């Protein structure tokens, strides 16, 4: 197809995506930078905060520059708010084959999956189960957590093993372990936890090799299994998409937390000695950015446009002074930002419990297009016993949700654009994204696409949902070892 035609179509699609957001805000003044605010003299503090959430294109361009500077520092091993961790794997060939188990630990839910890879980018049989990580385990000891994980694996493996064959010798179960927390990875199957995120504070794990901890727990369960690959969920997402799409260059998580990875030339990772390079080759190595920590500096060095609400949320968190980018864009925090923004309103100040206004509700609020916003009214009544909301209050809640999620979308898109610009791959490129914020929050995908187009008008970037990519990616990496 003619490149000019393709570019024209992409531009039309981007404009249509941005207009999606504006159509939801009819009868309000529309600003050129992608936000609109219907002023209300009754609550000036709320209006000021909503104005602060609006990001001008000049701010986003400055963030691209700052982001790329932090990338280079991280790649060189210098001080940076982006960790830029080598993954020791490259993109898949698409010909990986075999049956593998994939474990996915990235929050309060833990999954065990059995997957069959058929080559040629095809997936065969795939099934598994989800288990819940209790608060007790999240706040307990290392052995308790990993013994629970190993017991879940054993339960799934036993259910997959026919009873008639249970007494016969069997080959070891090969496992790809998706561990979606900041890890200092030293080899394909070796990495130490740097620090916990997502509410985990499990003792005696930080600074230890999580593969060793899991292998030891599997042995205590007397299960013939071996972890052959340690995978970050973003790396798994990229690999899962690239198994069938050779133009995939980035993997992004936009769910409870946030992170990204991309394929980098080995020569650019100057802090990497080359030891234990695994399956990475001259085409590059996937780098786990840990971008949730971007901008987490103090004072005049702060890179992100924080509001008073952002700072209040940070001070009440269990990782004060860290993960500022994540706290502005991740699903764990968006509902709390809305709650704190509305705290001076007499109706919403009744919602006193932190994090009780979750992102799932924001999705429902954003999707409520009834004249009286009856869906929002019903939720306020059933969830918080607030049966006296006015239409004006419900409109203010929806408008606040729009402003907060628009900011999250534009910040995330800016980070993606910065990475692709750094690699020189802004045309005919795929970005694989997994997570509930991207998948379920209305308008996020369209606003991200429009923001990238606003920053780089000649770009051609496909943002695609890679559902459950972390599990499939772990199996593919296990097959490539």
């Amino acid at each position: 197809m003619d490149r000019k035609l393709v570019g024209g179509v992409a531009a039309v699609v981007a404009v249509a995506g941005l207009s999606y957001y504006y159509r939801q805000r009819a009868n309000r003044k529309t600003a050129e930078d992608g936000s609109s605010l219907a002023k209300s003299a009754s609550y000036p503090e709320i209006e000021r905060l909503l104005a602060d959430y609006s990001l001008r294109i000049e701010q986003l361009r400055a963030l691209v520059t700052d982001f790329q500077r932090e990338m280079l520092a991280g790649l060189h091993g210098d001080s940076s708010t982006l960790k830029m961790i080598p993954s020791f794997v490259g993109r898949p060939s698409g010909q990986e084959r075999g049956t593998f188990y994939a474990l996915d630990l990235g929050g309060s839910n833990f999954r065990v999956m059995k997957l069959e890879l058929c080559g040629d980018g095809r997936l065969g049989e795939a099934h598994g189960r989800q288990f819940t990580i209790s608060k007790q385990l999240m706040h307990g000891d290392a052995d308790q957590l990993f013994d629970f994980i190993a017991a879940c694996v054993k339960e799934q493996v036993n259910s997959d093993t026919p009873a008639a064959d249970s007494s016969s010798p069997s080959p070891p179960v090969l496992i790809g372990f998706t561990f979606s927390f900041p890890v200092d990875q030293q080899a394909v199957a070796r990495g130490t936890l740097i620090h916990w995120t997502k509410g985990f504070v499990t003792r005696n794990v930080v600074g230890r090799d999580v593969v060793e901890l899991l292998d030891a727990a599997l042995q205590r369960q007397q299960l013939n299994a071996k972890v052959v690959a340690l995978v970050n969920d973003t790396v798994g997402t990229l690999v899962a998409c690239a198994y069938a799409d050779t133009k995939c260059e980035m993997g992004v998580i936009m769910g409870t937390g946030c992170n990204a990875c991309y394929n980098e030339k080995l020569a650019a990772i100057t802090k990497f000695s080359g030891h234990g390079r695994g399956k990475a080759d001259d085409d590059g190595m996937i780098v786990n950015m840990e971008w949730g920590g971007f901008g987490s500096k103090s004072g005049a060095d702060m890179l992100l446009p924080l509001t008073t609400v952002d700072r209040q949320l940070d001070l009440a968190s269990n990782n004060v002074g860290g993960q500022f980018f994540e706290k502005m864009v991740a699903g764990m925090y968006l509902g709390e930002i809305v709650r704190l923004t509305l705290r001076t309103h007499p109706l919403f100040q009744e919602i006193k419990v932190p994090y009780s206004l979750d992102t799932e509700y924001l999705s429902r609020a954003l999707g409520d297009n009834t004249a009286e916003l009856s869906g929002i009214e019903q939720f306020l009544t059933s969830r918080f016993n607030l049966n006296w909301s006015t239409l004006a209050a419900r409109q203010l809640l929806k408008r606040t949700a729009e402003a907060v999620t628009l900011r999250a979308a534009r910040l995330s898109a800016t980070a993606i654009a910065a990475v692709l610009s750094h690699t020189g791959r802004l045309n005919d490129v795929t970005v694989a994204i997994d997570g509930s914020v991207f998948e379920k929050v209305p308008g996020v995908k369209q606003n991200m696409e429009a923001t990238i187009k606003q920053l780089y008008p000649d770009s051609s970037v496909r943002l695609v949902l890679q559902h459950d990519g972390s599990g499939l990616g772990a199996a593919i990496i296990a097959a490539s070892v």
Side-chain angles (χ1 to χ4, degrees):
M1 186 180 289
D2 182 76
R3 288 184 177 274
K4 292 183 178 179
L5 177 58
V6 172
V9 171
V12 170
V13 171
V15 171
L18 193 58
S19 68
Y20 172 93
Y21 177 76
Y22 296 137
R23 286 199 303 273
Q24 307 307 310
R25 306 173 68 121
N27 303 321
R28 300 174 191 150
K29 180 182 177 183
T30 301
E32 190 175 12
D33 62 4
S35 67
S36 56
L37 298 170
K39 303 295 182 181
S40 169
S42 301
Y43 305 103
E45 174 64 16
I46 294 175
E47 295 300 342
R48 184 187 63 77
L49 286 168
L50 295 184
D52 287 344
Y53 294 144
S54 175
L55 300 174
R56 303 183 308 278
I57 188 62
E58 293 80 9
Q59 289 177 285
L60 300 184
R61 290 185 178 126
L63 282 174
V64 167
T65 301
D66 291 337
F67 200 92
Q68 291 176 338
R69 184 176 62 249
E70 293 292 292
M71 286 180 67
L72 291 174
L75 289 170
H76 296 162
D78 299 330
S79 176
S80 173
T81 59
L82 295 173
K83 296 188 184 300
M84 308 300 285
I85 302 169
S87 69
F88 297 86
V89 296
R91 291 184 301 173
S93 67
Q95 298 306 315
E96 292 80 4
R97 301 171 185 270
T99 300
F100 301 87
Y101 277 82
L103 315 183
D104 188 358
L105 177 63
S108 59
N109 293 322
F110 167 66
R111 294 184 301 157
V112 182
M113 294 156 283
K114 182 181 180 182
L115 302 105
E116 179 186 5
L117 306 175
C118 302
D120 298 321
R122 294 181 298 113
L123 177 65
E125 178 189 5
H127 66 270
R129 292 182 58 189
Q130 181 168 290
F131 302 86
T132 299
I133 305 291
S134 67
K135 283 287 182 72
Q136 182 179 1
L137 291 173
M138 293 170 68
H139 292 252
D141 187 78
D143 284 350
Q144 293 174 312
L145 175 62
F146 284 92
D147 281 344
F148 174 80
I149 293 171
C152 294
V153 176
K154 184 176 182 178
E155 181 178 333
Q156 183 62 48
V157 170
N158 286 345
S159 70
D160 292 335
T161 304
D165 298 338
S166 60
S167 61
S168 303
S170 58
V173 172
L174 300 180
I175 295 173
F177 182 25
T178 299
F179 186 76
S180 305
F181 300 92
V183 166
D184 180 14
Q185 194 154 355
Q186 297 98 24
V188 176
R190 187 171 72 249
T192 58
L193 176 65
I194 298 172
H195 60 79
W196 284 115
T197 57
K198 307 173 190 176
F200 277 74
V201 290
T202 310
R203 299 182 299 277
N204 300 317
V205 184
V206 173
R208 299 178 67 184
D209 185 347
V210 295
V211 173
E212 285 187 358
L213 288 169
L214 180 53
D215 276 339
L218 292 169
Q219 290 178 12
R220 289 194 292 272
Q221 291 290 329
Q222 297 182 333
L223 182 63
N224 186 18
K226 177 69 175 175
V227 178
V228 296
L230 177 64
V231 183
N232 180 270
D233 56 352
T234 55
V235 176
T237 297
L238 191 163
V239 168
C241 182
Y243 189 57
D245 182 350
T246 59
K247 293 181 180 179
C248 182
E249 293 288 345
M250 280 191 74
V252 179
I253 299 296
M254 295 180 64
T256 304
C258 73
N259 193 15
C261 68
Y262 72 103
N263 196 52
E264 180 62 272
K265 295 177 181 177
L266 279 176
I269 314 174
T270 57
K271 69 178 180 182
F272 177 59
S273 65
H275 174 69
R277 64 189 284 173
K279 288 292 182 179
D281 54 32
D282 292 338
D283 289 335
M285 176 185 285
I286 299 173
V287 173
N288 167 23
M289 304 181 73
E290 291 296 339
W291 80 8
F294 170 68
S296 298
K297 297 185 176 182
S298 60
D301 293 328
M302 175 57 66
L303 302 177
L304 289 165
L306 299 182
T307 68
T308 55
V309 165
D310 296 316
R311 295 184 185 279
Q312 181 180 359
L313 183 147
D314 173 61
L315 288 174
S317 70
N318 60 11
N319 56 346
V320 177
Q323 300 295 108
F324 274 116
F325 188 74
E326 183 168 76
K327 290 170 182 173
M328 297 172 80
V329 306
M332 180 175 180
Y333 302 103
L334 296 180
E336 181 66 358
I337 293 173
V338 171
R339 188 187 74 86
L340 292 173
T341 301
L342 295 171
R343 66 192 184 279
T344 59
H345 190 285
L347 175 70
F348 301 114
Q349 66 185 204
E350 296 299 316
I351 305 176
K352 300 181 185 299
V353 179
Y355 294 92
S356 57
L357 193 64
D358 57 30
T359 302
E360 179 183 357
Y361 170 65
L362 295 191
S363 298
R364 293 169 58 182
L366 291 168
D368 186 355
N369 295 315
T370 60
E372 297 296 317
L373 297 179
S374 55
I376 295 176
E377 181 180 24
Q378 180 181 8
F379 181 85
L380 288 172
T381 300
S382 61
R383 180 72 178 270
F384 300 107
N385 198 31
L386 298 176
N387 57 4
W388 46 281
S389 67
T390 64
L391 176 59
R394 298 193 293 274
Q395 289 172 334
L396 181 60
L397 172 59
K398 182 174 181 179
R399 192 155 56 88
T400 304
E402 288 172 343
V404 169
T405 56
L406 175 61
R407 182 182 71 159
R410 284 169 72 78
L411 285 172
S412 299
T414 299
I416 290 172
V419 173
L420 295 177
S421 174
H422 162 82
T423 62
R425 302 181 185 116
L426 276 163
N427 291 301
D428 192 20
V429 63
T430 301
V431 177
I433 306 179
D434 194 4
S436 58
V437 172
F438 181 76
E439 180 181 6
K440 297 180 179 180
V441 177
V444 165
K445 180 177 187 289
Q446 294 88 342
N447 285 317
M448 290 175 67
E449 290 171 333
T451 299
I452 293 173
K453 208 67 178 173
Q454 195 176 11
L455 287 165
Y456 295 98
D458 296 328
S459 63
S460 174
V461 179
R462 294 177 297 278
L463 305 182
V464 301
L465 176 65
Q466 181 61 54
H467 190 59
D468 289 336
S470 56
L472 173 58
I476 295 169
I477 293 171
S480 70
V481 174

